[in-house]
Amino acid sequence: MTIALALAPVATKAETLADALASAYTHSGLLQQNRALLRAADEDVAVAVAALRPIVSWSSSFSRDFGYSYSATTGAGTGFQDDSASFSIVAELLLYDFGASRLQVDAAKEAVLATREGLVVIEQQVLLRAVVAYVGVRSASETVSLRQNNLRLVQQELRAARDRFEVGEVTRTDVSLAEARLAASRANLAAAEGDLLRAIEEYRATVGSGPDNLVAVTRLPDVERNEDAAKAIAVRTHPSMRQAQYQVSTADINLRRAEAAVKPQVSLSGRVTKSGDFNSGDYSNTGSVSVDFGGPIYRGGQLSALERQAKARADAARSNLHVVQLGVAQDVGTALATLRVANASIEATERQIRAARVAFQGVREEATLGQRTTLDVLTAEQDLLDAEVAYTAAVADRTIAAYQVLSAMGLMTAKHLGLNVQLYDPAEYYRLIRNAPVKSLQGDKLDRVLRRIGD
């Protein structure tokens, strides 16, 4: 059929699952988006560090005083104009705030670590989706082939039924049964081809290119089969768990920040001003240095509300850690159960295929001797097809389940899988900006990193 030929791969270069995973890792827009969000979180550390440093600003002003004076005695008036300008430099430095600003830096660092783990979670999702897409195309393609073979066999049975009807060996009912089965086979083939087209689109959206001669997955990843051991590993290493732990740390630090907000601050400020009069040419230089000490007395209950809010968020973060732990353990158990079911289904369907093939061949032979009806042949053939389709689905489920176990354990990463890609270093950008460098001082190096990330 035309559509089947259009769907068949024509390239000679085989594409493996590892190739598809590498392409998904490299071209994923979702990963690019979350890497950018991580860099934005990195900048929060630089912003917090900057609050501990001197703040230097400048200001200038220009003024013109003018007017008109009239003398009643002389009956004359004169106008006047006076121009003056000033330029000031102001420096401010926070000396002590009972650790509030330092806590802000610590909170930003913990938030960065949590965001990094969130990026690993996204990476796992992208790679697992690529596995599902790859296996989906393979499974859908094999199902199309089975449906095509079934269609050819039903067409043969229909021709045989018509020939036997012509010689009076079967009735019109047998021919109608074959015709009905042929129509059903064509409908099933059309549905299978539609599934393949959808699988191809999912593959293209996930991997970044169309499937190109996908080879069968012959080797599954090594996974921990013991459920308790797998759950223990997941609770220790899963990025969702580490992300939740960092979120708890962030919430605790923010609570301490809220408590420190009610305490006073000590700051140092200085000002240098130069001002002059353009008309007279006179100018003056002035300067001042001051140490300021102060804190809040009453803000309408705002600070108390912020402290209670921070405590509630800390409690919520701890509860979330418990929820995430239960969810991670559940995902591991579910994935291992799915893997066991898929393995059992493969064994059962293999036996079913062997038995159904023997039965079909026997029924077909008996039908040529007039001992079986056309319906018996069509039924035996359908049983064989159902077993083969079930086997294809079970193999696909086993492959996906094996990688789901990896994902549930937190090991579905490009590094753990050994993909042939340039691994993204989430700490590279952070190392450049963690001390809040001035752009002009490290501009060239920072620009090179940004260009490489953009590529």
Side-chain angles (χ1 to χ4, degrees), residues 121 124-125 128 223-224 227 229-241 324-337 400-413:
V121 172
Q124 290 208 138
Q125 294 173 357
L128 183 59
V223 297
E224 176 62 59
E227 185 172 329
K231 289 182 178 180
I233 294 173
V235 169
R236 290 196 309 270
T237 64
H238 199 283
S240 293
M241 280 295 300
V324 171
Q325 180 177 350
L326 293 177
V328 166
Q330 180 184 3
D331 290 343
V332 171
T334 301
L336 285 173
I400 294 173
Y403 283 97
Q404 283 176 333
V405 173
L406 277 186
S407 178
M409 294 174 63
L411 303 176
M412 188 69 182
T413 62

Side-chain angles (χ1 to χ4, degrees), residues 10 13-14 57 83 101 107 114 122 133 183 185 216 219 247 294 300 322 332 357 371 377 380 392 414 431 433:
V10 296
K13 182 181 181 298
S57 59
D83 297 333
S101 297
I122 298 298
S185 296
R219 185 177 181 275
Q247 288 170 344
H322 179 66
V332 171
R357 183 173 290 114
Q371 296 178 354
V377 176
T392 300
R431 286 192 292 268
I433 56 86

